[in-house]
Amino acid sequence: MTSTTPPIDLADPGANLREAVRLHRLGQIDAAESYYRAVLERLPAEPDSLHNLGLILQARGDFAGAMGLWKACVDQNPQRPGTYNAMGGLLARLGRLGDALAAHEQALVIAPEDVDALNSRGNLLVRLGRSLEALASYDRIIAIKPDYARAYLNRAGLLSMLGRSAEAVASCQSVLRLEPQNDAAQSLKFREQLKICDWSDYGSTAAALEQRILTGADVDLPHAMLAYCDDPEAQRICAEAHLRKRVQIPVQPLWSGEIYRHDKIRVAYVSSDFRNHPVAHLIAGLLERHDSERFEITAYALGPRLDDAYRQRIQTAFPTFHDVAQVSDLEVARMIRSAETDILVDLNGLTANCRPGIFAHRPAPIQINYLGHPGTLEKGLADYILADAIVAPRGADATFSEQLIRLPHSYQVNDDRKRIAGHTPSRDEAGLPGDGFVFACFNANHKINPPVFDVWMRLLSAVPGSVLWLLEGHEVMVRNLRAEAQARGVSPDRLVFAPKVALEDHLARHKLADLFLDTAPYNAHTTASDALWAGLPLVTCAGRGFAARVAASLLTALELPELVTERLEAYEALALDLARDPERLAALRDKLSTLIKTTPLFDTDLSRNHIEAAFIGAWERYQRGEPPAAFDVAP
């Protein structure tokens, strides 16, 4: 307490409250607490003191104490919407989403036009999967307070989740009219534009975002920036800035140095993608074939829950499978710690529905980043990342916060039981020309960019009768790409769009294409291994970062390095040569057909052996009390 602070006068609670509020605003928390308590000694139901003292306890981590004060406040003073909102915010933080929603709903009974309560209500409804109600909540805010930028931004995020990208872009533009320097709105707008191939400000926005990222600003999602930035150092900075804001590494980790002595190495996999998802398509075979004599494996499944065939297959592969979609990060971490897990594998990294907070609690002695996010995380979340010498070349170690474990072939495990449908449609049924050359790219739309599209359009111009076969997406995306083709002098009808079908049917229709054209800097990953598994040759342009080198890793493991280029000019020349030389291309297809069966890429058991060797190597260092260190797995 400073010399200017008057002494506490128990006879004058009004003066004490005014001084408490003044000190609280100045950040003199201990002194403010003393005054609030002095007020409550005389007036136990005084609402501002109960409310503000609860805020102080919450900031200190005394959640039960804070909640007790707020409950006492509303019990004695039921017309306090702000206190109900504070309760809702804390309950949401604790994962009690239903109770949190009820608290905000009570605030709205008292103050129906409380925009903060409506905003919190909308955010909770999103988390509870009640999207249309959430959208109505945001729209209600905008009707009440049209300059409330957060409502437009949250509305844009929800529209993005719903696949309504054009509307999300418009909502972001509303934010930027109110707050021109809003980084979150700028980056979300750009992400949604990429999804619908709206390149109206591609060059300027990509450059501006990358420049801001390099300053350490948290301006974009680490996974999203891979589509336009191939600077590994910028990718590391982006991941660290994002995670510093999103998660806090606890002072007291759950695992505190114990060395477990188990008969088997206990490995836990954490993922939101134990369902019909590219990660599941890759890893299902590994999970089914782990050496049960050496390893005891457990799953922690994050949301969303979809009971499809892949979910059922993966759930069967695990002796223990926990659905923790509605369990808080801390409680999940406690489950992992109480199971004395030796190795914790993060299959999400920084992809959709990730839960880095679980890993921030350090529930296991060894934490590994693998497969989901093609890049680094923040220090403290993972000790190791599984990579290979192509995606993480020698000398790249400094751009990773993790220690590198380089597998001997490709880092990417594949499932050699992935089924290809027996029936292949005709070209006519697929909307393709009977005789023309078919260039294909089934990558996600956001990976397509103007420099790569320029190459593709020059290839179509140079190969008469050829078409470009892409995945069908939003009608706005189709319209935009056709317009981009027209602007480059290519007839829009030479772009053919493939509708979504079941995976086995999608793999079968690859036979109709002649050559797969990769994207850069964000390569095909699972999409590339799908094409190769189906027997379709692929040409890639390798870049600098992990995400830009995955297709090169796959082709090298498949012993087809001649399909890897390092400049777009060479990529274009190689694709054109293959399109003009049918005998060379036919020989390449025959070679690929043989290599699928004889090289390491699609040998699931070999990949399993290498991944298990990586686990054992990390575990042995831990057993000896040694810190994590990079190492290579021998072939």
Side-chain angles (χ1 to χ4, degrees), residues 338-469:
S338 66
E340 294 192 349
T341 302
D342 293 299
I343 299 174
L344 184 63
V345 183
D346 183 359
L347 292 176
N348 271 97
L350 296 172
T351 56
N353 304 303
C354 62
R355 301 266 296 274
I358 294 169
F359 298 85
H361 287 290
R362 173 53 75 168
I366 303 165
Q367 299 188 172
I368 296 178
N369 171 17
Y370 180 53
L371 199 61
H373 177 69
T376 191
L377 308 178
E378 186 190 8
K379 290 179 181 177
L381 294 184
D383 305 296
Y384 295 99
I385 181 171
L386 297 190
D388 60 56
I390 302 296
V391 294
R394 306 297 171 186
D397 300 49
T399 60
F400 291 86
S401 67
E402 307 90 343
Q403 297 293 325
L404 284 158
I405 302 178
R406 289 183 174 90
L407 301 180
H409 302 296
S410 178
Y411 83 102
Q412 188 191 86
V413 65
N414 276 278
D415 178 15
D416 59 13
R417 295 172 182 166
K418 191 184 296 183
R419 183 175 178 272
I420 299 176
H423 170 71
T424 302
S426 67
R427 278 196 168 189
D428 184 62
E429 290 171 327
L432 298 168
D435 298 321
F437 194 93
V438 177
F439 295 104
C441 180
F442 297 132
N443 286 0
N445 305 321
H446 70 273
K447 295 184 180 183
I448 306 172
N449 57 41
V452 168
F453 197 75
D454 288 342
V455 171
W456 292 353
M457 294 304 98
R458 287 196 296 269
L459 288 170
L460 291 186
S461 297
V463 181
S466 63
V467 297
L468 177 62
W469 198 18

Side-chain angles (χ1 to χ4, degrees), residues 85-159:
N85 283 333
M87 294 170 69
L90 178 53
L91 289 164
R93 184 175 173 183
L94 295 173
R96 295 168 56 183
L97 304 186
D99 292 337
L101 180 61
H104 291 301
E105 297 278 15
Q106 186 59 42
L108 289 166
V109 169
I110 301 164
E113 296 193 350
D114 183 333
V115 291
D116 291 328
L118 283 165
N119 188 59
S120 297
R121 175 181 181 271
N123 295 344
L124 281 163
L125 289 167
V126 171
R127 293 176 66 182
L128 289 165
R130 294 160 60 180
S131 301
L132 295 181
E133 293 174 76
L135 198 58
S137 200
Y138 298 139
D139 287 342
R140 173 70 177 146
I141 296 170
I142 292 166
I144 295 167
K145 189 174 172 58
D147 61 349
Y148 193 88
R150 273 190 296 164
Y152 289 105
L153 184 58
N154 289 334
R155 183 177 185 274
L158 175 55
L159 290 167

Side-chain angles (χ1 to χ4, degrees), residues 187-261:
S187 61
L188 177 56
K189 172 178 141 322
F190 192 49
R191 290 198 296 276
E192 296 308 304
Q193 286 178 295
L194 293 183
K195 289 179 186 177
I196 55 175
C197 300
D198 172 0
W199 302 328
S200 54
D201 56 0
Y202 179 89
S204 59
T205 302
L209 287 172
E210 186 170 348
Q211 186 174 24
R212 290 277 288 134
I213 287 166
L214 286 168
T215 68
D218 177 31
V219 296
D220 204 358
L221 299 179
H223 197 72
M225 61 102 62
L226 300 175
Y228 61 86
C229 176
D230 189 30
D231 179 350
E233 182 63 14
Q235 293 168 7
R236 181 189 63 78
I237 292 169
C238 182
E240 291 183 352
H242 174 72
L243 286 163
R244 273 197 304 271
K245 185 175 179 180
R246 178 166 177 177
V247 298
Q248 194 168 17
I249 306 296
V251 175
Q252 192 66 38
L254 294 180
W255 175 75
S256 54
E258 304 90 340
I259 296 180
Y260 305 135
R261 308 293 185 185

Side-chain angles (χ1 to χ4, degrees), residues 446-511:
H446 70 273
K447 295 184 180 183
I448 306 172
N449 57 41
V452 168
F453 197 75
D454 288 342
V455 171
W456 292 353
M457 294 304 98
R458 287 196 296 269
L459 288 170
L460 291 186
S461 297
V463 181
S466 63
V467 297
L468 177 62
W469 198 18
L470 304 167
L471 273 185
E472 188 174 76
H474 194 286
E475 62 179 15
V476 177
M477 180 275 292
V478 173
R479 188 165 63 245
N480 285 340
L481 280 183
R482 291 195 188 281
E484 293 287 347
Q486 183 82 61
R488 289 163 174 80
V490 175
S491 174
D493 61 10
R494 293 180 70 183
L495 272 57
V496 180
F497 293 90
K500 290 184 178 179
V501 295
L503 177 61
E504 60 190 46
D505 296 320
H506 175 59
L507 292 172
R509 69 184 176 187
H510 278 72
K511 298 172 187 175

Side-chain angles (χ1 to χ4, degrees), residues 17-18 20-21 24 36 39-40 43 45-55 70 73 77 80 83:
L17 178 58
R18 288 191 294 274
V21 172
H24 200 166
Y36 286 134
V39 173
L40 293 171
L43 301 173
E46 201 289 308
D48 289 335
S49 297
L50 288 168
H51 179 92
N52 292 341
L53 187 55
L55 294 176
W70 291 334
C73 182
N77 311 275
R80 292 275 303 188
T83 304

